[in-house]
Amino acid sequence: MFTVITPAANKDITTLANLKADLGISDADHSEDPYLQRAIKQMTSRICSYMNVPYAQDGTRTIGFETLEQKFARSPWMRSQGCELVLARKPVAEIVSVMVGDTAIADTGYELDGPAGMLRRVWDGNLTSLSFQPTDRTVIRFDAGWKLPGDVNPTLPEDIEACVISLIKATRAARTRDPLVKSQWVTDIERLDFWVGAVSGGGGDTSGLPPELTGLLDPYCYEPM
């Protein structure tokens, strides 16, 4: 269970300006702005779904930079050395605090694997874990996520933004054609093949995303809960 303490200032994986520049649309042309802004939010949500980004307790979900608080019913500080906790969001930039019951755990008592979002217990030279009670909960407050395009000093991997822009390009281009048409062949002139996403229930990847995009996103995906 985790809650948002400081929400992301921005949740969109790309900006309208970046998208229009990639589409070759002038900044002075605002005719498609409402459609493109809606598409950014839709494709941001679609990418988060593919990446298995977990929902916070308030129902929000983002890969943007946030301060979060996560509670664990069982604590690695009550068991053997080397136990690990998997945090709900990644990459983790900083551990703000670790509390077990009323006891604050010093930063010498854990190691952080920020990209993986994992916190590992290490020996800190004392035996305070012996005083913990089985009912004590571990509460971790941490900063996680990327600074997104539109934020100051963005840190989002370019591959992820490129996927959102590619999906919007494809969706925008397909608005005027029959979505059920997989290919079009004009005899002796040309043949056009269109990507048709996998249908749920058919086995394999059912995300509906082209394989060249899933290959870019896979390194950043969360393990299924």
Side-chain angles (χ1 to χ4, degrees):
M1 180 175 66
F2 70 103
T3 57
V4 178
I5 303 302
T6 305
N10 170 35
K11 293 182 172 64
D12 295 337
I13 293 179
T14 191
T15 65
L16 181 61
N18 287 0
L19 176 59
K20 290 174 74 171
D22 209 272
L23 292 172
I25 300 174
S26 168
D27 289 338
D29 181 356
H30 301 291
S31 61
E32 290 191 74
D33 284 7
Y35 165 76
L36 295 177
Q37 289 171 332
R38 185 171 68 253
I40 289 172
K41 295 188 181 301
Q42 290 172 342
M43 295 309 169
T44 291
S45 178
R46 191 171 175 185
I47 292 297
C48 286
S49 293
Y50 181 81
M51 291 173 61
N52 293 316
V53 178
Y55 287 94
Q57 195 171 20
D58 62 1
T60 60
R61 176 180 64 172
T62 181
I63 59 174
F65 189 83
E66 295 188 314
T67 299
L68 306 162
E69 187 173 272
Q70 188 169 357
K71 298 179 181 179
F72 296 86
R74 297 180 179 179
S75 170
W77 279 267
M78 296 176 65
R79 302 193 298 275
S80 62
Q81 303 289 333
C83 292
E84 293 180 335
L85 292 176
V86 179
L87 300 178
R89 293 270 178 80
K90 62 182 183 180
V92 177
E94 180 182 4
I95 299 295
V96 178
S97 63
V98 178
M99 298 291 297
V100 181
D102 296 327
T103 303
I105 304 298
D107 56 11
T108 55
Y110 57 81
E111 292 178 342
L112 172 67
D113 183 347
M118 300 187 71
L119 197 68
R120 179 178 183 273
R121 179 188 176 183
V122 297
W123 174 243
D124 60 1
N126 63 63
L127 300 175
T128 56
S129 62
L130 296 179
S131 65
F132 295 152
Q133 300 300 314
T135 55
D136 286 340
R137 304 182 75 182
T138 299
V139 181
I140 302 175
R141 185 168 292 197
F142 59 100
D143 296 330
W146 288 288
K147 297 290 185 70
L148 302 181
D151 294 336
V152 177
N153 299 321
T155 59
L156 180 73
E158 293 181 359
D159 285 348
I160 299 178
E161 182 180 14
C163 287
V164 167
I165 292 176
S166 293
L167 286 172
I168 295 173
K169 278 183 175 180
T171 302
R172 178 173 176 264
R175 283 189 296 172
T176 58
R177 71 172 177 86
D178 184 345
L180 297 180
V181 175
K182 184 175 181 180
S183 64
Q184 179 178 315
W185 186 12
V186 180
T187 306
D188 297 329
I189 298 178
E190 66 177 354
R191 174 171 177 165
L192 300 176
D193 291 301
F194 305 103
W195 168 255
V196 178
V199 178
S200 180
D205 176 30
T206 59
S207 67
L209 301 184
E212 63 268 21
L213 298 189
T214 60
L216 294 176
L217 293 172
D218 285 345
Y220 308 105
C221 288
Y222 290 74
E223 292 295 327
M225 298 299 290

